[in-house]
Amino acid sequence: MFAGLWERLFAKEAHNQGLVSVEPETVLTELARVRLPPQLDAATSLITKVLGGSPDIIRREITVAGARLAVIYIEGLADKSEVERVLNGLLIQRPKVEQVGLDLGSSLKRWREAGLPVGGIRSGSTLEDVAKALLDGETCLMGTGWDEVLILDTTGWENRAVAEPETEAAVRGPREGFIENLSTNVSLIRRRLRHPNLRLEDYTVGELTRTSVTALYIEGIAREKLVDEVRRRLTRIKIDGILESCYLEELIEDAPFSPFPTILNTERPDVVCAALLEGRVCILTDGTPFALLVPATFPVYIMTPEDYNQRWPVAVGIRVIRYLGLFIVPSLYVAFTTFHQEMLPTPLAVSLFMQREQVPYPVLVEAVIMQTTFEILTEAGLRLPRPLGQTIGIVGVLVIGEATVRAGLISAAMVIVVSATAIASYTIPVYDMTQAIRILRFPMIFLAATLGLFGILTGLIIIAIHLVSLRSFGVPFLAGFAPFVRRAQRDIIFRAPWWAMQTRPELVASDNRERQGPNLKPKPPESTSSGANETEAEALGGGNPTGTNGRKHR
Amino acid sequence: MREEGQISQQQFAFLLTAYLVGRSTLLTPVGPAKQDGWLAVLMGALLAGIPALIWLALGQRFGRQSPVTYIRQTLGEFLGLPLVILYFWLFLHMGAGVARNMSEMYVTALMPETPILVFSAAIVFLAASSVRSGVECISRLAEILTPWLVLFVMSLNVLTLSTPNLVHWQYLKPILGSGWLNLLRGAFLSFAFPFSEAVVFGFVFPHLNDSRSMRRYTLVTMAFVAVLLSVTYVRNLVVLGPYEIAHLTFPSLTAVEQIDLGDFFQRLEPLIILIWTFGGFLKLAILLYVVCLGSAQLLGLKDYRVLVLPFAILMTCLSVLIYENFAQVEEFYSTIYPLYTLPFALLLPALVLAIALIRGKLHVP
C-alpha cells in the first residue's frame, strides 16, 4: 500500500501530462519533436496545455460546410480585427470553400489558394511551430484530419504613435523617432532609403524573450568584413532575454571595461540613415526604440543631426562650442587652488581664498562633496514625477546651493565650477559619452588634488593612451584625429558644406567612396547685365519673374 | 618576435619633433657661447645633419631590419652584440636623464615637498603603459600631443617677445663677441643635446610603413626644430641676458614667468609645464619602446611586453641614482655628455656604414 505512495507524494505535477519537460531552455526543442494529433479536440487541448492554459488563449470553433475548423490565437498579441476578418472570410466565403472541398491534407494547398483575406499564410506541423506562431501573434487554423496547421499572419498589438524622441529633440529636422515595434522602425528607415541595396538580416536572440533583431546595411558601401563581424557577434549570443538594445550592446562591444562607449545608440531614423549612407551597420531591436550603430568613433558622439540640418557657418560654430565644453572641468580648479595658487591672478586668488576662509576642509573634499551632491540631484531629478521635477530643480540649485554657501559648507566658487561643468557636459549630445566623462571626473579630481597640474596632465595622458588604443569593430576610436587623415577633417571638428563633402569617411566605408559628383558648389547664375545698372522697371519688365539677379516680385 | 605596428611618415615627423623639443627648452647648455647661443643651436643642428644622414643611409640600405640585427650582421656577433647592448644602456641612461630632469623641474618649480621619485615613477609609468599598448599608440599620441606642444612653444615665444619693457635686444650684441672658439664649443654642445639624442630614431626607421621620403621628413623636421629652439634661446637671451642664462637653474621658466600682456596673459607657467610633460613623456615612451623591443629581439622573446615593466622600474631607479643634485646635471651635460654620445651618434654608424659599403651589400628594396 505504501509502495506507490512515496512516488506519488513526490511526483512532479506535469502540466502537459508529462509530454515535455518544463525547463525553459529545452521546451521549444522538445516541442519540435511532437507532431499534432489529428483529432481537433485533442490538438487544441494539447496546445492550450503546452501554453499553460492561460485565459488569453482564445479558441473558436466554426463549422464551415459541415466540417469543423478551429481557430486559435492569443488575445493581445493577434490583431482582433484581422482575426475577425479571417473568420468572416471563412463564414462568408463558404461557396468558394465548398468548391475547394473540405476533406484533408491535399486540400491544404487549395485552402491557401482559396484566398483567405489575410496577409501571409504558411503551414506548420510540430508543436514548436504552433507555439512559436501563437506567441508571435499569429493565428492557427486547424481542421479535422489535417496533418498540418495553417498559420495566418495576424500580428498586431498596441503600439505607441511615432513621435519626436524626447532625448534627441532637434530644432530643425524630422520629428519622427523609433517606437518599440520592429517592423515600424524598419519601415521608418526604408522610407528614407528607397533603394534595392538596403539589406536586412534577421536574428532571434534570447532564449526566453525570442527578441527579433534586425541588422541593416547598404550593400556596396558597408565593408564586407564589418558585416561579417556583426553577424558573427550577434549569432554567438546565448542569453535568457534581451529586453533592451543595451543588453545587445554589452554583449557585442569591443571594450567591455572601458568607460567610453564604442557603439552609438539613437532614436532617430535620420541619424540611422545618415550612418547607413556612410557605410555603418544598424542593429534594430524589437521592444525598444533605441537603435545601435556600429562602428562608432569619437567624433560621432559629438555630432547631432542638427549639425547637418543647419547651414554650414552655424553648424561649425556650434560644433566647436561642443568640443570646447569638454574642457571645462573641476579638476583644474582643484589643482590651482590646492597647489598652484601663485598662478592665479592676484585679485582672483584673494577673493577665492576669502570665500574659502569659512570652509573647514580642503578643496578636494569640497569638490567631492559638491560633485557627489550634484550627481545625486541629477539622478533624483530623473525619477521625479513631472510636476515635482521643476520645483525640485529650482529648490535644489538655488536654495540648497545658496544655503550651503551661507552655512560655510561649500564656497560659492565651487558651486559655480560644478554647475558650469555639469551644464557644459550636457552639450554632448550622446548620453553614453556624458556618462563616461562623469565617471572620469572623479579620478581626475583626485589626481589634481594629489599631484596638481602634473596630476591633471598625467590623467589626460592616461585617458589619451586609453582612447588611442580603443577600437570599435576594427576602426580606431580616434579615427581622423590620430591617425590623422586630412580628408576626414571635413567632418570631425569642423564640418564642410555639403557641396564639399566628396567622399565617405575612409576608415568606415569600403572602397566605394565617391558619394557625390564634383563641382557642386552653388553659384549664382551668370547675368548678362550687371545688377547695379539694371533699373527697377527693366527688372520687372524682364520675362523672368525672379529677375536675373534673383529678386522676386509679385 | 611579434611583428610590430607601423608608423606613418606624419607620425614619424611628429614624434621626432616632440622628442627634440621636449626637453630642450628646459636645459640649453650652450655654456661658452653665451650670447651667440642661438647661432650655436643652428650650427649644432647643421652638424647633426651628418649623423642624421649616416643613419638615414643605413636605414635605406637595411630597410626593414632593425639596427639590432644589422649591427651584429655587419660587425660580427663578437663585436656587434656588446655594441648593441651598449646602445640599450645609452637609451636607458638617456631615459633616466629625461625623467630626472623633469622631476627636478617639477620639484623645484612647483611642489618642493614632493620627493623626486614620485614624479619620475609617474612619468615613467605613463610611458610604460603607452609602450605596452604598442607603437601605434605612441605614434597616435604623438599626433595628438605634438601640435599642442609646438603651438604652445611658439605662442610663448610670441607672448614673451610682445611683452612691453621685457625685451632687451641689446643682449644679442656683440654677435660673435665670445669668439669663434666658444661658438664652436657651444655648437658642439648643442649638437650633443638634443640632436644626437635622436640616435634612437635610427632604431625606429624599420617601423616606417613608407620609407620613400624618410630623408626629407627627417631633415625638414630637424631644421624646423632647430629654428624653433633657436628662437626660444633668443627669447631667453633677450629677456634675461647672458649672465643670467648661464646662472639660472631654469632660464625658460623664469623667462616665461615674466610674461605680462595687458594684465591678462600672466603667469603662464602651466603652458611650459605642459610642453615639458608632453615632450618628456613622448621621449621616454620612444626610448623605452626601443629598449624593450630590441632586448626582446636579442633574447628571442615572442613578445616584448613582458620586458616593459622591468625596464620601466630600472629607468625610474636609475633616474634617482644618477645625479646627486642639479649642479651635477649641469656639469655632466656641459662636459661629459657630448663626448659620451659622440661615438654612438656618429662614429659607430659611420663605421657600420663604411663596412657595409666595403662589403658591397646590395640595397634591400
Side-chain angles (χ1 to χ4, degrees), chain A residues 336 339-340 342-346 451-454 457-458 461-462 464-465 468-469 471 476 478 482-484, chain B residues 10-11 106 110-111 118-119 122-123 126 129-130 133 137 140-141 143-144 266-267 269-270 273-274 277-278 281:
Chain A
F336 276 98
F339 285 94
H340 310 295
E342 70 276 5
M343 293 192 186
L344 296 166
T346 324
L451 290 174
L453 201 55
F454 179 69
L457 289 173
T458 309
I461 294 182
I462 294 180
I465 293 178
V468 149
S469 330
R471 283 178 176 261
L478 289 181
F484 187 84
Chain B
Q10 268 163 229
Q11 291 171 332
Y106 284 124
L110 295 180
M111 289 184 258
V118 171
F119 292 110
I123 201 137
L126 277 184
S129 32
S130 69
S133 307
C137 171
R140 281 184 209 158
L141 279 173
E143 268 187 300
I144 301 177
Q266 288 173 345
R267 311 186 201 235
E269 294 92 61
I273 292 171
L274 202 137
T277 312
F278 286 166
F281 160 72

Side-chain angles (χ1 to χ4, degrees), chain A residues 118-154:
Chain A
V118 84
I121 306 185
R122 57 192 178 94
S123 58
S125 51
T126 64
L127 263 186
E128 186 204 10
D129 295 334
V130 172
K132 277 190 180 174
L134 285 177
L135 289 167
D136 282 343
E138 293 169 310
T139 307
C140 289
L141 180 65
M142 300 180 289
T144 320
W146 289 7
D147 55 353
E148 282 193 336
V149 162
L150 279 183
I151 299 176
L152 312 170
D153 180 13
T154 53

Side-chain angles (χ1 to χ4, degrees), chain A residues 282-356:
Chain A
C282 169
I283 300 174
L284 288 172
T285 313
D286 191 32
T288 173
F290 285 92
L292 298 175
L293 290 171
V294 299
T297 52
F298 185 77
V300 155
Y301 289 95
I302 319 276
M303 292 186 202
T304 62
E306 266 185 300
D307 291 350
Y308 300 92
N309 296 341
Q310 309 249 15
R311 285 184 64 247
W312 174 64
V314 177
V316 170
I318 294 186
R319 209 185 247 186
V320 169
I321 288 185
R322 267 190 236 128
Y323 270 102
L324 284 178
L326 284 173
F327 289 106
I328 302 182
V329 280
S331 25
L332 279 174
Y333 175 75
V334 171
F336 276 98
T337 47
T338 317
F339 285 94
H340 310 295
Q341 298 90 349
E342 70 276 5
M343 293 192 186
L344 296 166
T346 324
L348 180 61
V350 168
S351 94
L352 276 181
F353 285 101
M354 260 175 26
Q355 286 171 26
R356 290 211 56 239

Side-chain angles (χ1 to χ4, degrees), chain B residues 112-354:
Chain B
E113 317 212 351
T114 316
I116 301 181
L117 184 60
V118 171
F119 292 110
S120 279
I123 201 137
V124 173
F125 162 74
L126 277 184
S129 32
S130 69
V131 169
R132 272 195 87 97
S133 307
V135 69
E136 282 164 337
C137 171
I138 303 177
S139 44
R140 281 184 209 158
L141 279 173
E143 268 187 300
I144 301 177
L145 298 177
T146 314
W148 293 102
L149 204 129
V150 171
L151 181 70
F152 286 141
V153 172
M154 292 205 280
S155 32
L156 280 179
N157 290 350
V158 167
L159 283 172
T160 329
L161 294 177
S162 354
T163 307
N165 300 328
L166 190 60
V167 176
H168 308 286
W169 289 102
Q170 57 267 28
Y171 284 137
L172 277 177
K173 293 193 277 220
I175 302 190
L176 292 181
S178 325
W180 273 103
L181 199 57
N182 279 332
L183 178 61
L184 284 174
R185 284 207 195 112
F188 189 49
L189 282 175
S190 159
F191 161 73
F193 180 92
F195 289 101
S196 62
E197 292 194 329
V199 66
V200 74
F201 278 90
F203 285 72
V204 172
F205 283 142
H207 295 288
L208 274 183
N209 63 359
D210 183 7
S211 45
R212 277 172 306 163
S213 346
M214 213 158 61
R215 217 176 346 171
R216 188 158 49 98
Y217 272 87
T218 317
L219 294 177
V220 167
T221 312
M222 281 176 64
F224 173 69
V225 171
V227 169
L228 197 63
L229 290 180
S230 178
V231 171
T232 311
Y233 189 84
V234 168
R235 175 199 81 194
N236 287 350
L237 185 61
V238 300
V239 169
L240 303 168
Y243 181 76
E244 288 288 323
I245 281 201
H247 291 88
L248 273 175
T249 327
F250 297 116
S252 286
L253 193 55
T254 321
V256 169
E257 271 174 5
Q258 313 292 325
I259 296 180
D260 186 1
L261 266 181
D263 253 353
F264 182 66
F265 284 104
Q266 288 173 345
R267 311 186 201 235
L268 289 174
E269 294 92 61
L271 285 186
I272 222 176
I273 292 171
L274 202 137
I275 297 170
W276 288 337
T277 312
F278 286 166
F281 160 72
L282 283 172
K283 210 160 174 170
L284 277 173
I286 281 283
L287 286 168
L288 201 57
Y289 173 70
V290 166
V291 172
C292 292
L293 189 62
S295 310
Q297 271 179 332
L298 273 186
L299 296 170
L301 289 177
K302 250 193 310 186
D303 191 0
Y304 72 90
R305 278 163 211 210
V306 274
L307 292 176
V308 172
L309 193 58
F311 275 121
I313 297 179
L314 194 60
M315 221 187 248
T316 316
C317 297
L318 267 179
S319 77
V320 175
L321 293 170
I322 43 177
Y323 305 118
E324 292 263 337
N325 50 47
F326 202 69
Q328 213 178 37
V329 172
E330 296 255 313
E331 196 207 337
F332 181 76
Y333 277 104
S334 314
T335 49
I336 307 176
Y337 196 65
L339 298 172
Y340 174 49
T341 53
L342 192 62
F344 291 105
L346 186 58
L347 300 178
L348 260 170
L351 186 65
V352 172
L353 188 60

Side-chain angles (χ1 to χ4, degrees), chain A residues 50-318:
Chain A
V50 165
L51 291 175
S54 320
D56 57 353
I57 303 177
I58 312 288
R59 275 180 359 191
R60 277 287 301 272
E61 283 178 11
I62 53 179
T63 308
V64 180
R68 282 173 65 219
L69 298 174
V71 170
I72 301 191
Y73 63 96
I74 296 186
E75 183 179 17
L77 286 177
D79 189 357
K80 271 222 196 104
S81 55
E82 291 280 328
V83 179
E84 295 301 322
R85 202 141 43 102
V86 169
L87 290 173
N88 277 340
L90 282 174
L91 296 168
I92 293 174
Q93 278 186 319
R94 256 164 47 205
K96 235 175 149 185
V97 154
E98 278 163 343
Q99 274 177 16
V100 163
L102 297 164
D103 40 339
L104 304 168
S106 64
S107 76
L108 201 64
K109 205 171 62 134
R110 290 153 92 188
W111 267 104
R112 283 185 162 157
E113 295 160 5
L116 287 167
V118 84
I121 306 185
R122 57 192 178 94
S123 58
S125 51
T126 64
L127 263 186
E128 186 204 10
D129 295 334
V130 172
K132 277 190 180 174
L134 285 177
L135 289 167
D136 282 343
E138 293 169 310
T139 307
C140 289
L141 180 65
M142 300 180 289
T144 320
W146 289 7
D147 55 353
E148 282 193 336
V149 162
L150 279 183
I151 299 176
L152 312 170
D153 180 13
T154 53
T155 310
W157 48 67
E158 283 302 318
N159 282 313
R160 220 172 17 120
V162 171
E164 181 163 34
E166 284 181 2
T167 54
E168 284 177 68
V171 170
R172 177 169 174 179
R175 303 223 178 277
E176 283 182 335
F178 289 130
I179 61 170
E180 284 74 15
N181 187 331
L182 184 61
S183 41
T184 314
N185 293 345
V186 172
S187 75
L188 285 173
I189 296 180
R190 271 217 185 273
R191 272 216 311 232
R192 290 173 166 82
L193 285 176
R194 296 183 224 164
H195 193 275
N197 274 29
L198 177 63
R199 301 273 184 257
L200 279 79
E201 289 183 6
D202 267 340
Y203 304 89
T204 308
V205 189
E207 302 286 321
L208 289 172
T209 56
R210 292 181 50 237
T211 316
S212 304
V213 170
T214 307
L216 296 98
Y217 61 96
I218 299 186
E219 174 148 354
I221 300 183
R223 281 212 170 117
E224 257 317 300
K225 278 173 62 177
L226 175 64
V227 179
D228 284 338
E229 184 64 23
V230 172
R231 219 176 271 144
R232 193 183 67 87
R233 293 192 197 189
L234 281 176
T235 42
R236 76 170 245 282
I237 298 177
K238 288 196 176 10
I239 189 176
D240 251 0
I242 301 279
L243 291 173
E244 221 280 340
S245 52
C246 188
Y247 292 49
L248 269 185
E249 190 180 334
E250 284 188 22
L251 289 167
I252 63 177
E253 68 181 349
D254 275 85
F257 285 113
S258 164
F260 290 96
T262 47
I263 298 180
L264 182 65
N265 60 338
T266 176
E267 271 187 287
R268 297 185 65 102
D270 51 337
V271 171
V272 168
C273 294
L276 288 176
L277 284 171
E278 285 187 343
R280 300 182 207 265
V281 174
C282 169
I283 300 174
L284 288 172
T285 313
D286 191 32
T288 173
F290 285 92
L292 298 175
L293 290 171
V294 299
T297 52
F298 185 77
V300 155
Y301 289 95
I302 319 276
M303 292 186 202
T304 62
E306 266 185 300
D307 291 350
Y308 300 92
N309 296 341
Q310 309 249 15
R311 285 184 64 247
W312 174 64
V314 177
V316 170
I318 294 186

Side-chain angles (χ1 to χ4, degrees), chain A residues 478-514:
Chain A
L478 289 181
F481 282 126
F484 187 84
V485 179
R486 213 164 52 100
R487 280 237 182 123
Q489 290 311 306
R490 278 186 231 154
D491 203 8
I492 296 191
I493 302 188
F494 309 103
R495 183 210 122 204
W498 272 113
W499 39 266
M501 294 214 231
Q502 303 284 13
T503 56
R504 303 194 180 99
E506 279 178 14
L507 291 161
V508 177
S510 64
D511 296 316
N512 175 3
R513 280 208 296 274
E514 280 293 319

